[in-house]
């Protein structure tokens, strides 16, 4: 299909949405109808815009986000704020799917020869950059309203949480670029190993820092209670996630791929909703499940292939709702700290990966180029941002 035809189809769907935008949604039945209509519009329009973005060399994800921004309350308001909030029920499932996918890509056997380089780059490039980002956030707190109003200790710990959120990478982008270019060698393997391991590192760091921040903000920081809560959140999530991974692997072995996609989606939804009520981390839980499927059952590729089609509507809704949730009116307010964080993150990841690769005595090409694989951001960063909103409802938005 030509680009012109795709543009015309997007415009046609937009006009249809505008035509029904005058429906009175004051009654409960009409409210439900508006939600169904909003979901249908998002799935159709975002899918076309994603294909349009891909045809001009951009990621489909960019198209989904752009659809949400334009159709959301900030621009055309095809989707009002209440509809966007109601559609957010898909967020938990999508976050779990992202973590499950990341875990199923972590093949520790293939990573073993490069483990030294991966470990040092992760330490200097990822953990080090997270600390630097946290420092920059705190230094710029006067320009970030909710931080400026916090006491010293609370401001420091929340800055650390934000540093962890901002440093997140994207294994999906690295995998896609490798597949698209056919790249294979020490640079691409090291970059993939680092971003996959960094996912695990970032998720664990987020669980630790957000748990500590919650206790500090509650004004009742008890180190014993905080330790127990953190231990449950970390080890409870990992343990239950391993059980979930074992169940998924058993389904693959004894049932096969028949119905596996729906089973995985159901498992992700239950893990996200029930796990949240049990104070478990959905990212850690499903990451552990993916690790078991890939490294114990050796069925990670089969799993990803099985739910690829079924997960597409979930991802479209997730990223489009994320775009519709962006407060464009806040961008001028946070422009300075946002630009500072973007530049600091890039410098930290490139410089830290170079230093880590030198310490590990990696090949010269890895020292120069591996850091570029750490720059892209996609699913995990958005998932952590939405999880931040849920964890800190008083200022998360």
């Amino acid at each position: 299909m030509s680009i012109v035809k795709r543009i015309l189809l997007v415009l046609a769907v937009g006009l249809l949405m505008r035509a029904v935008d005058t429906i009175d949604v004051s009654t409960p039945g009409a409210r439900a109808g508006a939600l169904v209509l909003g979901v249908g519009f998002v799935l159709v329009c975002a899918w076309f815009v994603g294909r349009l973005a891909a045809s001009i060399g951009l990621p489909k994800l960019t198209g989904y986000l752009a659809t949400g921004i334009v159709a959301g309350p900030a621009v055309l308001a095809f989707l009002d704020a209440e509809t966007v909030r109601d559609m957010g029920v898909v967020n938990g499932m999508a976050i779990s799917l992202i973590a499950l996918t990341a875990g199923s890509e972590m093949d520790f056997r293939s990573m073993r020869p490069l483990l030294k380089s991966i470990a040092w780059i992760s330490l200097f490039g990822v953990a080090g950059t997270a600390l630097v980002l946290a420092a920059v956030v705190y230094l710029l707190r006067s320009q970030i309203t909710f931080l400026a109003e916090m006491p010293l200790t609370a401001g420091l710990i929340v800055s650390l949480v934000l540093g962890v959120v901002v440093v997140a990478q994207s294994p999906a982008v690295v995998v896609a670029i490798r597949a698209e270019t056919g790249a294979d060698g020490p640079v691409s393997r090291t970059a993939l190993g680092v971003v996959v391991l960094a996912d695990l590192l970032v998720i664990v760091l987020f669980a630790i820092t957000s748990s500590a921040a919650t206790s500090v903000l509650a004004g009742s920081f008890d180190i014993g209670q905080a330790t127990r809560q953190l231990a449950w959140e970390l080890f409870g999530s990992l343990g239950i996630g391993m059980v979930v991974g074992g169940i998924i692997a058993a389904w693959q072995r004894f049932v096969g791929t028949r119905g596996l996609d729906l089973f995985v989606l159901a498992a992700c939804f239950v893990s996200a909703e029930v796990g949240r009520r049990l104070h478990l981390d959905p990212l850690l839980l499903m990451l552990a499940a993916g690790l078991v499927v890939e490294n114990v059952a050796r069925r990670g590729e089969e799993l990803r292939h099985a739910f690829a089609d079924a997960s597409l509507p979930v991802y479209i809704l997730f990223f489009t709702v994320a775009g519709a949730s962006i407060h464009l009116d806040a961008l001028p307010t946070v422009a300075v700290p946002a630009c500072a964080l973007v530049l600091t993150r890039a410098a930290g990841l490139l410089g830290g990966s170079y230093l880590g690769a030198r310490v590990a005595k990696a090949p010269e090409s890895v020292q120069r180029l591996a850091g570029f694989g750490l720059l892209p951001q996609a699913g995990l960063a958005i998932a952590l941002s939405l999880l931040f909103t849920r964890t800190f409802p008083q200022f998360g938005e």
Side-chain angles (χ1 to χ4, degrees), residues 24-42:
D24 180 13
V25 294
S26 57
T27 63
R31 177 78 256 160
L35 177 60
V36 172
L37 186 64
V39 169
F41 167 74
V42 163

Side-chain angles (χ1 to χ4, degrees), residues 188-207:
S188 61
R189 291 176 188 172
T190 302
L192 180 60
V194 171
V195 295
V196 168
L197 184 63
D199 262 13
L200 175 59
L201 179 63
V202 166
I203 290 169
V204 171
L205 287 175
F206 181 84

Side-chain angles (χ1 to χ4, degrees), residues 10-389:
V10 170
L11 291 174
V13 175
L15 289 172
L16 285 173
M17 190 66 185
R18 172 57 73 188
V20 298
D21 195 36
T22 55
I23 294 176
D24 180 13
V25 294
S26 57
T27 63
R31 177 78 256 160
L35 177 60
V36 172
L37 186 64
V39 169
F41 167 74
V42 163
L43 287 175
V44 174
C45 193
W47 186 82
F48 279 125
V49 176
R51 294 288 297 273
L52 181 61
S55 66
I56 58 175
L58 293 173
K60 292 180 182 178
L61 182 151
T62 304
Y64 304 154
L65 286 170
T67 302
I69 292 172
V70 174
V75 183
L76 298 179
F78 288 168
L79 305 172
D80 59 36
E82 192 171 348
T83 300
V84 171
R85 186 171 60 252
D86 291 342
M87 290 167 64
V89 70
V90 77
N91 288 347
M93 185 190 299
I95 289 170
S96 296
L97 269 176
I98 289 168
L100 180 64
T101 303
S104 70
E105 290 170 346
M106 290 188 185
D107 184 355
F108 290 135
R109 294 182 189 179
S110 63
M111 292 167 60
R112 191 177 301 160
L114 300 168
L115 201 54
K116 186 178 179 181
S117 298
I118 291 171
W120 281 108
I121 293 174
S122 297
L123 178 63
F124 286 104
V126 180
T129 301
L131 287 173
V132 175
L133 286 167
V136 171
V137 170
Y138 189 74
L139 290 173
L140 294 172
R141 66 188 183 281
S142 62
Q143 300 188 48
I144 305 174
T145 308
F146 67 89
L147 273 179
E149 299 169 350
M150 288 184 185
L152 175 65
T153 305
L156 280 170
I157 192 68
V158 172
S159 297
L160 195 56
V161 181
L162 284 169
V164 171
V165 171
V166 175
V167 83
Q169 290 89 45
S170 173
V173 173
V174 178
V175 169
I177 291 173
R178 282 189 68 192
E180 204 168 303
T181 61
D184 189 27
V187 173
S188 61
R189 291 176 188 172
T190 302
L192 180 60
V194 171
V195 295
V196 168
L197 184 63
D199 262 13
L200 175 59
L201 179 63
V202 166
I203 290 169
V204 171
L205 287 175
F206 181 84
I208 294 171
T209 54
S210 63
S211 179
T214 302
S215 300
V216 169
L217 290 169
S220 56
F221 185 73
D222 181 332
I223 190 167
Q225 181 182 354
T227 302
R228 288 191 297 272
Q229 179 181 341
L230 179 59
W232 168 247
E233 191 168 342
L234 282 175
F235 300 110
S237 299
L238 290 172
I240 295 175
M242 291 172 69
V243 173
V244 172
I247 294 172
I248 293 174
W251 181 288
Q252 291 178 268
R253 179 176 179 182
F254 296 109
V255 181
T257 57
R258 188 176 67 254
L260 179 61
D261 49 356
L262 295 179
F263 179 73
V264 168
L265 290 177
C268 287
F269 181 79
V270 171
S271 298
E273 296 304 314
V274 175
R276 181 165 58 89
R277 288 165 175 77
L278 295 177
H279 303 289
L280 297 172
D281 190 307
L283 285 167
L284 268 180
L285 196 155
M286 295 310 293
L287 184 76
L291 287 171
V292 168
V293 173
E294 172 60 27
N295 293 280
V296 178
R298 312 302 297 172
R299 294 175 178 269
E301 186 175 353
E302 177 188 277
L303 175 67
R304 293 191 300 275
H305 180 73
F307 68 70
D309 291 337
S311 63
L312 180 61
V314 177
Y315 284 137
I316 290 177
L317 282 174
F318 174 67
F319 290 115
T320 307
V321 170
S325 303
I326 292 175
H327 297 275
L328 291 181
D329 56 326
L331 291 183
T333 308
V334 299
V336 172
C339 290
L341 289 174
V342 168
L343 294 174
T344 302
R345 179 181 180 275
L349 291 176
L350 292 173
S353 64
Y354 176 78
L355 181 58
R358 278 187 67 88
V359 171
K361 297 180 180 178
E364 194 269 340
S365 59
V366 174
Q367 295 179 27
R368 287 189 300 108
L369 302 173
F372 289 98
L374 310 185
L375 296 181
Q377 284 188 306
L380 181 62
I382 296 175
L384 286 174
S385 298
L386 293 174
L387 204 55
F388 185 94
T389 304

